Amino acid sequence: MTFRINIQVHDNNKRLFFTTKAVQLTRIVMLIAAIAAPTCPAFAETSKKQEEEQQQQQLNRWVYEALEEKAQTLTHTITNSHYDISLNSLPTLPFAHCESKPDITFLTAMEAGSQRIKVECATPNRWSLYARGHISLFVPVLVATRTLNRGDPINDNDVTLREMDISQLRRGYFINTDHFANQQLSRRVRAGDVLTPHSLQEAHLIRRGDRIAIVASNDNFTISMPGEALEDGRLNQQIRVRNLSSGKTVRGMVSGNNEVKVL
């Protein structure tokens, strides 16, 4: 809206009068423009866009908070752990407005690592969308301090703790040496490698050719005879042994170091 005023006067008093009137008219025009602005299509479009951006930011905050809550729960179950999370930008939908906090469901079975998230809203419109995030969970895990060979037992000085993101350790890990009793390496491990359940196996308590004790017992008596192992054996494994007294070969179950109970 444009007002054009052409006034020509020669009297100084009249010039001041018309100048004052022009200023007042300008103020009126500005007031009318301010009142009319919200009804202007361009202004309404800008206002709508700002509202959608605010709604999108709120939606991102809700999903991020849910992701962080899950990460915090994980740290409570593992000592000396901490986390880092990231959330991919949610898809921008013109109808993705929710009057209250939407239902947020984690669809990923993995506790840490890549997360697939479903977001559902019932009011004012029913809609759902999917988001992706990631939880990195850092935990001190056991790694080898030197190269260890297949069949080696694991001692305390063979391993040390190193902080790693366990979401990347798909084959598992150990946080202490409690599981290493009667265990040996099932494969070669290099210095710095993470010890996993797949890299361990039960240690052989008896080796072929070992002199052993063959034990037979019941509720009333126990008899022990000298023997020789004809096979390697782990705890509770059945192996063939030779009775050195009779020369007979029998089968028995490994019950301890250099001890076999006959069946």
Side-chain angles (χ1 to χ4, degrees):
M1 182 182 296
T2 304
F3 290 88
R4 185 178 183 86
I5 303 174
N6 294 318
I7 302 175
Q8 293 183 354
V9 295
H10 299 284
D11 185 273
N12 289 335
N13 291 331
K14 289 183 178 181
R15 182 179 302 168
L16 177 61
F17 171 78
F18 282 113
T19 301
T20 303
K21 289 295 184 180
V23 171
Q24 292 176 349
L25 182 59
T26 301
R27 290 176 178 174
I28 293 172
V29 171
M30 291 177 63
L31 179 61
I32 293 173
I35 296 173
T39 62
C40 176
F43 181 88
E45 183 66 25
T46 301
S47 178
K48 181 180 179 181
K49 184 177 180 180
Q50 291 176 345
E51 183 180 359
E52 289 178 352
E53 288 177 352
Q54 291 174 355
Q55 293 170 358
Q56 189 74 14
Q57 290 171 1
Q58 178 62 66
L59 190 60
N60 274 275
R61 280 195 295 270
W62 277 328
V63 179
Y64 188 90
E65 288 170 0
L67 194 64
E68 187 169 37
E69 183 178 351
K70 180 177 181 179
Q72 289 175 346
T73 301
L74 293 177
T75 60
H76 294 158
T77 62
I78 304 178
T79 306
N80 298 325
S81 62
H82 64 94
Y83 66 86
D84 183 32
I85 60 176
S86 61
L87 176 66
N88 296 350
S89 296
L90 272 65
T92 302
L93 302 176
F95 53 80
H97 168 56
C98 213
E99 291 182 349
S100 59
K101 187 176 181 179
D103 291 330
I104 300 173
T105 307
F106 288 90
L107 305 178
T108 308
M110 293 179 58
E111 293 183 341
S114 180
Q115 305 290 316
R116 188 164 181 260
I117 309 163
K118 184 177 183 180
V119 184
E120 295 180 283
C121 183
T123 57
N125 300 308
R126 181 175 293 277
W127 55 264
S128 64
L129 57 80
Y130 295 88
R132 287 194 175 275
H134 192 277
I135 299 176
S136 296
L137 191 61
F138 297 94
V139 177
V141 301
L142 289 174
V143 300
T145 57
R146 61 185 181 88
T147 298
L148 301 170
N149 295 314
R150 184 177 184 273
D152 285 350
I154 304 172
N155 301 312
D156 288 345
N157 58 351
D158 293 329
V159 293
T160 188
L161 288 171
R162 179 180 298 172
E163 189 176 86
M164 301 189 74
D165 179 9
I166 62 173
S167 70
Q168 305 298 320
L169 305 180
R170 303 298 175 83
R171 297 177 67 85
Y173 57 91
F174 294 104
I175 59 175
N176 55 53
T177 58
D178 293 349
H179 295 83
F180 292 171
N182 296 323
Q183 298 288 307
Q184 65 183 23
L185 289 171
S186 60
R187 60 180 180 84
R188 189 170 183 266
V189 174
R190 295 173 300 178
D193 283 355
V194 176
L195 275 297
T196 73
H198 296 279
S199 59
L200 300 181
Q201 63 183 8
E202 284 192 52
H204 287 106
L205 300 183
I206 294 175
R207 292 289 185 178
R208 181 180 179 182
D210 285 351
R211 291 299 177 92
I212 61 167
I214 302 174
V215 178
S217 64
N218 60 25
D219 295 338
N220 299 318
F221 65 88
T222 298
I223 299 175
S224 179
M225 298 161 285
E228 179 185 358
L230 302 179
E231 298 174 296
D232 296 342
R234 299 186 177 93
L235 185 65
N236 297 325
Q237 183 180 1
Q238 292 186 24
I239 62 172
R240 293 181 300 113
V241 296
R242 179 183 293 113
N243 187 325
L244 296 180
S245 299
S246 65
K248 291 183 178 181
T249 298
V250 296
R251 294 189 67 83
M253 184 174 66
V254 178
S255 55
N257 287 317
N258 297 323
E259 182 181 275
V260 173
K261 286 186 177 181
V262 293
L263 304 176

